[in-house]
Amino acid sequence: MKDLTNQINKNTLPNHIAIIMDGNGRWAKQQNQPRVFGHKNGVGAVRKSIEACAKIGVNYLTLYAFSTENWNRPKLEVKTLMSLLVSSLKKELKTLQKNNIKLNTIGNLENLPKKAQIELADVIEKTKNNTALTLTLALNYGSREEIVNVIKNLSKKVVNKELTIEDIDEKIINNHLYTFSLPDVDLMIRTSGEKRISNFLLWQIAYAELYFTDTLWPDFNEENLFQAIIDYQKRERRFGKTSEQIEKIND
Ligand code: FPP
């Protein structure tokens, strides 16, 4: 593995990286193993990505760990994903504390197994004052469901006269999303060669740079993550402005 640390500009790091971790099943199939073998090995890549972000000083990392659609997978696979979550949380609490990492979640946790809910609540509570990296796990998360909930909540507030229709703006919508405490995504990565967003953070990636790699998730490591950041840093982010306007701001 190459050490790419010195090719990264620490002053223009993406503040918030989101990752669609894809390809566990195909990775397992390549080795004639059941799909759950891929997920088990995917945990190692989760660890490596968190460590790499902490190492260079990325402030926010959000991982798509379980989507609202993932309930449709075979029962054993869902069960394995949930028990991997619980065992990883138990195992990694010490490392999170040592590295000053705060755990956060987005998604509807109510439908997760009780064990997972309890473990998550425990780790969230114990890491709540950590300040280096905010690690957000998207669990039973779906972007459209998130937006539907925002519309329902805002409608209720209008009906109850806590809010007028004119009050509704982007900031108010942001404050009602699961991600209310997170900044917009700067860089979204998807592994395994698929080029889709799959209902992940649709509102929050309005200006994000998208990075797709053929690497399957269990093989994803520090070098791959840093490569994505280097690629991101080569791009010019214009936010609707012209190149000339951006050059002036940077002067
Ligand atoms: C996608 O691969 C991966 C997932 C749906 C789950 C990701 C979960 C982990 C890496 C393990 C547990 C997570 C934590 C946070 C401890 P896929 O199954 O869709 O692969 P395929 O497209 O090749 O079938």
Side-chain angles (χ1 to χ4, degrees), residues 21-27 35 38-43 45-46 63-67 70 73 77 81 84-86 88-89 137 139 190 192 194 216-217:
M21 311 181 286
D22 197 10
N24 292 351
R26 275 162 286 166
W27 187 90
R35 294 179 54 80
H39 296 315
K40 284 178 188 157
N41 282 277
V43 177
V46 170
L63 301 175
Y64 206 2
F66 195 87
S67 74
N70 285 153
R73 295 194 170 197
E77 186 171 342
L81 281 168
L84 277 176
L85 174 68
V86 174
S88 304
L89 288 167
L137 297 181
L139 292 161
R190 182 172 190 147
S192 92
E194 305 291 349
L216 302 176
W217 180 251

Side-chain angles (χ1 to χ4, degrees), residues 47-200:
R47 197 169 208 280
K48 285 179 196 161
S49 304
I50 298 168
E51 274 171 2
C53 285
K55 180 170 163 186
I56 53 163
V58 170
N59 293 319
Y60 297 89
L61 174 66
T62 300
L63 301 175
Y64 206 2
F66 195 87
S67 74
T68 44
E69 289 77 27
N70 285 153
W71 294 111
N72 299 325
R73 295 194 170 197
K75 262 207 177 103
L76 172 70
E77 186 171 342
V78 172
K79 215 174 148 213
T80 305
L81 281 168
M82 291 302 157
S83 53
L84 277 176
L85 174 68
V86 174
S87 62
S88 304
L89 288 167
K90 276 200 167 100
K91 241 201 292 193
E92 302 299 343
L93 174 62
K94 260 198 198 138
T95 322
L96 294 179
Q97 296 292 42
K98 206 178 98 205
N99 293 292
N100 198 15
I101 298 169
K102 175 178 174 170
L103 182 72
N104 178 43
T105 57
I106 53 173
N108 183 359
L109 299 192
E110 277 170 26
N111 297 334
L112 296 185
K114 267 270 138 17
K115 247 193 187 164
Q117 291 186 40
I118 292 169
E119 207 55 53
L120 282 164
D122 184 52
V123 179
I124 288 171
E125 172 60 28
K126 287 183 174 144
T127 61
K128 71 175 183 207
N129 295 321
N130 292 346
T131 52
L133 167 72
T134 298
L135 167 67
T136 301
L137 297 181
L139 292 161
N140 191 20
Y141 174 86
S143 198
R144 287 187 172 179
E145 190 229 40
E146 177 182 39
I147 292 169
V148 168
N149 282 338
V150 171
I151 293 169
K152 282 186 181 162
N153 287 332
L154 290 177
S155 307
K156 267 185 221 151
K157 288 189 180 174
V158 170
V159 169
N160 294 337
K161 302 214 172 353
E162 293 166 47
L163 210 63
T164 68
I165 288 180
E166 287 67 36
D167 290 333
I168 298 175
D169 58 11
E170 291 186 13
K171 201 167 162 220
I172 291 210
I173 294 176
N174 257 321
N175 290 342
H176 286 76
L177 291 164
Y178 288 128
T179 52
F180 66 93
S181 63
L182 306 177
D184 269 2
V185 175
D186 298 299
L187 170 62
M188 179 176 276
I189 299 171
R190 182 172 190 147
T191 59
S192 92
E194 305 291 349
K195 294 184 179 65
R196 287 189 295 278
I197 303 303
S198 300
N199 203 16
F200 191 38

Side-chain angles (χ1 to χ4, degrees), residues 6-49:
N6 55 7
Q7 291 185 40
I8 293 176
N9 180 350
K10 295 276 167 58
N11 300 318
T12 56
L13 284 174
N15 188 34
H16 185 177
I17 299 179
I19 308 183
I20 303 175
M21 311 181 286
D22 197 10
N24 292 351
R26 275 162 286 166
W27 187 90
K29 200 170 174 199
Q30 281 177 359
Q31 337 210 1
N32 292 320
Q33 295 283 345
R35 294 179 54 80
V36 292
F37 183 72
H39 296 315
K40 284 178 188 157
N41 282 277
V43 177
V46 170
R47 197 169 208 280
K48 285 179 196 161
S49 304

